Amino acid sequence: MNQSFIATLTLVFVVFLLTTNTQLIAQSNSITGRVADLSDGKALPGAHISAIRTSDQFQRDAVSDERGFFWIKELPDGDYRVEITFLGYRTMNRTASLGGNRIFPLQTLALQSSSVELDQVEVTEQVLPAVQNGDTTQYNANAFKTNPDANAEDLVRKMPGVVLQNGQVQAQGENVQEVLVDGKPFFGNDPAAALKNLPAEIIDKIEIFDQQSEQSQFSGFNDGETTKTMNIVTKKDMRNGQFGKVFGGYGTDERYQAGGNINLFNGDSRTSIILQSNNINTQNFATEDLLGVVGSQGRGRRGGRGGQGGGRGRGSFGGGSVNDFLVNNQSGITQTHALGLNYTDNWGEKLEVAGSYFFNWNENTADQLLNQELINDRNDFQQFYDETTLSSSTNRNHRFNLRLDYDINDKASILLRPRLSIQQNEGAEQTIGETFTTDTPINNSFYDFNSELTGINFSNTLLYRQRFEKRGRSFSVRVTTQYNENSGDSELFSATSSRFDPTFTDTTDQINTLLTEGWTHRARVIYTEPLARRSMLQFSYDASLQQNNSDQETFDFSSDSGTYSDLNTGLSNIFDSEYRTHQAGLGYVYRGKGYFLTTRVNAQWASLDNEQQFPFADASNRSFFDVLPFAMFRYRVSKSENLRIFYRTNTDVPSINQLQSVIDNSNPLQLSTGNPNLRQSYQHRLFLRYSKTNTTNASVFYTLLSASTTNNYIANSTTIAKENTILDGDVAFQRGAQLIEPVNLDGYWNLRSFITYGLPVKAIKSNLNFNLSGNYVRQPGLIDQELNYSNNATYGLGVVLSSNISQNVDFTISSTSSYNTVTNTLNTDQNTNYFNQVSEAQLTLIFKGGWVVRTNLTNQLFSGFSETVDQNFWLWNASVGKKLFKNQRGELNISMFDILRQNTSIQRNITETYIEDIQTEVLQQYFMLNFVYQLRHFGTPKKREKEEERDRWRRRMGW
């Protein structure tokens, strides 16, 4: 049978199918039409159309597609009433008589916008959960039912493609970096604070989009510098009023919580205040509040950026993991006091003001057990490191943000954005560590580390923008200044001993002072010029200067004087670094019909100058020239489908801590140092995102694919001591101990995929979301000068079922599973696989009479970890309460935490040089009596209209 015969047979078969389908369609009655807005003729996707036979009420339904079209098929003969409904529009009715396999066209049905107040409308049709408007995904809050006390976080958890994990908000697989409320900043760029302190009932829509840079928004030239942004659109009748809540509780083991939030909205003027105090690990602030904990290299690894899981992530100066401060009820026990203020308003017609202030105080204690297996170059040899740590830290932080946007005239504006953070941190840590092989101890150590650190971070951006008479022609200048300072003192006492040589012991008793300062000055000039109606050119020039200075002094205890007076030159260092860049670029943008293309190429000249002044003079100078291409293609397949493809390149300069060649001996068995010969890295990244909303079945679909590779990647070089030696500065380097140094290596890869699909399940009035993910990281590293590639692949599956029954029945059932494979090229015997699954069920029931039952059950399964860490445990929390007062705004309840007494915390970290498991103490069972009162007071629309009219009259009178 030849290929032409097969092709002919296939063609006949396809024609037969098409003909058959056409005949089937023609053998039944149908009603077709298009739904549009009466005012502008634009399509209304998601309108609900019902065809009801008048004789027996036989009914068939349909939903209009993204172009407003609908088609109701397989209708028996008879007379029909056709009802068209759409939220916010007046219902329309038409009649149709069907018979004889007829297609009845209703043409265009233009609906009129309804002016009836929302609280007088009873919505009977299903509201579309999401609509794709160009690049923006818009979620309709009315499509997701929540209980009356729910906040914005509870609402967005139900939305497909939105995930809240480890204190971070993700949308469509990307981290949300900014939350706006009605297009204005809300609590700086802290998404968690914004979502926790807005009630769900005031929200009309949630918009997810890539917000362009300030310069791009002004010029119309999309330069690809975007920020993943969530905009919360409030209901119009709730934009004037006061709302919030106050709460307090006290329980067993002296556990307590108290706080509240109040929001004062009056049109453009909005003030929000939040307060909280507790010792139950409820922490409500951003990562930047922890700069004092993680910003210094006094305890952290100084090499690469860490492997899957973020590296050890252990903070400097005795602090805990970053996750200690971002994950509720995990990783230690934290007492928190926090105050937040947010203010936005329009001062006159030209000046828009937005500002926020945070104060955070927290005290953390944590017992931690660490098991680490070191990757090495021998298949017949395994080396392990175990560590038991008791740490405590006190952290105080002030954070201030301000945004002033002034319109000079209709063609020029000035934007000023200062930002200041001041932090103080006190930490203490006691650690016992041991290095051993499969059956033989090598050495052990004990150290006591105490510190006091102050950190200051300031940045300011000034942006001037100017349009010209010719449309598309613009000029802008952005000047940015940044300053950071870390200063502090630490004390270290350690004792180490060798099992092979009992005479080789080392005792360290020393103090350390540190001062690091950094300035960054950057200026960017952009000019855009239109070429034609659809195309534009952009010329840009960028210059920056980054200066960093570090002065570290270490003094050993002198037995002669009884003071810390002996300067340790091997552990002291004065080091300066200066990084300069000049970058010139040419860009081109073309807006076609349904697609958008941006291309840009930059030429970058850079120099990195390092100078060491102490303990000996040394200097190095390096120059770099790189071409940095960029391209972005956006294709609007339809109104509900969107495709984006990015390709970008960038360079990254090493930090001063990575460049400074001074030994950090705060852990005697895991020493680290810097490398002044590091070069800047160069990264390529390809990114694809496709999104689609189906208005017919109310489903949403997103997929994300990305790939990146880095040349001169800053990785770790780990040297394992083969015998007891002494390093510079009389630092003992015991057999089996590690010395980690950052180095440049090629071969880093990061591949990532994410797919999510959501649809309503009408049978149980719920929403079902699926997501699939796949990640692959190839990370290079040196172990005893042997090159190792650590390959970590992760495959994930997530399912979320959230109720949409009513505000009195609210449940969410979710499960996230991940299977991980780790392979190493240097030692295949240390390849490993492990499985992690987190399943959770949340239920809220509100009964007649105001009784409320809430319960949360979480199961965490860890398999393939070390024998001491593998676990399968349940965390069950519940509360029973009674609604009180008018409108049931108050509630008294009893809550129970960790009913089954199984709470624990487990974390696996993987890098190119080691695999480790960490288990940390967590909050244990307690009971608490709580009182909550919801504040709600909103002005009526008519009252607001009268107030606005009076304001306009006063302005006309000059009052």
Side-chain angles (χ1 to χ4, degrees), residues 554 567-573 614-615 661-663 727-731:
T554 300
L567 178 65
N568 190 319
T569 57
L571 300 180
S572 301
N573 190 270
F614 186 85
S661 181
V662 59
I663 295 176
L727 301 177
D728 293 338
D730 294 330
V731 177

Side-chain angles (χ1 to χ4, degrees), residues 545-590:
L545 171 62
Q546 181 177 327
Q547 297 172 308
N548 291 284
N549 310 307
S550 179
D551 186 348
Q552 179 173 315
E553 292 182 321
T554 300
F555 295 90
D556 294 324
F557 181 77
S558 172
S559 57
D560 295 334
S561 63
T563 61
Y564 294 93
S565 56
D566 293 345
L567 178 65
N568 190 319
T569 57
L571 300 180
S572 301
N573 190 270
I574 300 177
F575 187 85
D576 300 332
S577 175
E578 186 172 281
Y579 181 66
R580 298 174 180 267
T581 65
H582 295 271
Q583 188 169 285
L586 176 64
Y588 173 77
V589 63
Y590 182 81

Side-chain angles (χ1 to χ4, degrees), residues 134-202:
D135 297 333
T136 300
T137 302
Q138 178 180 287
Y139 297 96
N140 295 311
N142 290 332
F144 306 92
K145 291 185 172 62
T146 57
N147 68 73
D149 302 329
N151 57 27
E153 183 178 285
D154 300 321
L155 174 63
V156 300
R157 283 183 186 272
K158 295 175 175 286
M159 297 177 173
V162 181
V163 178
L164 285 87
Q165 188 174 14
N166 295 340
Q168 177 64 58
V169 184
Q170 287 190 340
Q172 302 161 14
E174 300 176 78
N175 289 339
V176 174
Q177 298 170 293
E178 186 171 12
V179 171
L180 308 175
V181 176
D182 294 325
K184 296 185 178 182
F186 193 71
F187 283 110
N189 59 350
D190 189 348
L195 296 179
K196 287 179 182 292
N197 293 287
L198 279 177
E201 67 178 285
I202 75 165

Side-chain angles (χ1 to χ4, degrees), residues 770-807:
F770 298 93
N771 65 75
L772 293 170
S773 62
N775 300 319
Y776 169 76
V777 178
R778 182 176 188 252
Q779 198 166 5
L782 294 177
I783 303 172
D784 287 334
Q785 300 306 310
E786 295 287 337
L787 180 61
N788 177 60
Y789 287 102
S790 174
N791 302 285
N792 186 5
T794 303
Y795 312 95
L797 170 65
V799 181
V800 180
L801 179 67
S802 58
S803 70
N804 211 16
I805 301 172
S806 74
Q807 64 177 5

Side-chain angles (χ1 to χ4, degrees), residues 338-400:
L339 163 68
L341 305 172
N342 189 80
Y343 172 78
T344 61
D345 199 1
N346 291 338
W347 292 356
E349 297 181 356
K350 293 189 174 184
L351 180 60
E352 183 177 317
V353 182
S356 66
Y357 167 76
F358 267 113
F359 170 74
N360 298 295
W361 180 97
N362 68 75
E363 187 174 89
N364 174 267
T365 60
D367 291 326
Q368 189 176 84
L369 176 65
L370 179 147
N371 307 111
Q372 183 183 104
E373 180 180 359
L374 187 69
I375 300 169
N376 57 72
D377 57 352
R378 292 173 54 189
N379 288 331
D380 60 346
F381 177 81
Q382 288 181 294
Q383 180 171 311
F384 303 90
Y385 173 74
D386 283 357
E387 184 180 274
T388 302
T389 301
L390 173 62
S391 65
S392 64
S393 66
T394 301
N395 191 78
R396 293 176 294 275
N397 180 270
H398 301 266
R399 191 171 84 242
F400 173 76

Side-chain angles (χ1 to χ4, degrees), residues 721-940:
K722 300 299 187 295
E723 58 184 14
N724 298 326
T725 58
I726 300 295
L727 301 177
D728 293 338
D730 294 330
V731 177
F733 190 29
Q734 294 204 13
R735 178 178 176 179
Q738 304 171 34
L739 176 64
I740 301 106
E741 180 185 16
V743 292
N744 290 115
L745 295 174
D746 292 334
Y748 175 86
W749 280 90
N750 190 325
L751 307 177
R752 183 166 178 256
S753 63
F754 179 83
I755 299 174
T756 182
Y757 178 71
L759 74 162
V761 184
K762 297 181 181 179
I764 56 175
K765 295 184 178 180
S766 301
N767 297 307
L768 182 62
N769 302 313
F770 298 93
N771 65 75
L772 293 170
S773 62
N775 300 319
Y776 169 76
V777 178
R778 182 176 188 252
Q779 198 166 5
L782 294 177
I783 303 172
D784 287 334
Q785 300 306 310
E786 295 287 337
L787 180 61
N788 177 60
Y789 287 102
S790 174
N791 302 285
N792 186 5
T794 303
Y795 312 95
L797 170 65
V799 181
V800 180
L801 179 67
S802 58
S803 70
N804 211 16
I805 301 172
S806 74
Q807 64 177 5
N808 297 325
V809 179
D810 186 13
F811 69 81
T812 301
I813 302 172
S814 64
S815 181
T816 302
S817 303
S818 64
Y819 180 74
N820 300 262
T821 64
V822 182
T823 61
N824 297 280
T825 59
L826 194 60
N827 188 340
T828 57
D829 286 350
Q830 292 174 301
N831 296 343
T832 182
N833 303 324
Y834 64 96
F835 178 78
N836 182 22
Q837 184 181 65
V838 180
S839 301
E840 184 176 9
Q842 297 179 348
L843 174 66
T844 299
L845 298 174
I846 302 178
F847 298 95
K848 189 175 182 180
W851 289 97
V852 184
V853 175
R854 299 181 181 90
T855 186
N856 178 286
L857 182 63
T858 302
N859 173 254
Q860 295 205 38
L861 173 64
F862 298 89
S863 176
F865 288 17
S866 61
E867 294 181 0
T868 59
V869 177
D870 272 359
Q871 292 195 35
N872 182 6
F873 68 90
W874 296 84
L875 178 61
W876 183 19
N877 306 325
S879 69
V880 178
K882 177 70 169 65
K883 294 288 186 180
L884 305 172
F885 310 132
K886 183 180 180 180
N887 297 324
Q888 297 187 338
R889 294 300 186 191
E891 181 184 321
L892 187 67
N893 66 64
I894 297 177
S895 62
M896 298 152 280
F897 176 80
D898 192 16
I899 298 174
L900 302 178
R901 291 181 177 272
Q902 296 185 15
N903 190 28
T904 189
S905 171
I906 300 172
Q907 178 182 347
R908 165 156 286 192
N909 297 320
I910 298 173
T911 73
E912 71 281 14
T913 54
Y914 64 83
I915 301 172
E916 70 180 8
D917 300 324
I918 301 176
Q919 189 168 5
T920 311
E921 73 162 331
V922 292
L923 206 60
Q924 299 298 318
Q925 184 186 85
Y926 67 86
F927 297 82
M928 183 174 289
L929 178 66
N930 304 280
F931 175 75
V932 183
Y933 186 80
Q934 304 286 338
L935 306 171
R936 299 290 188 272
H937 181 265
F938 298 100
T940 63

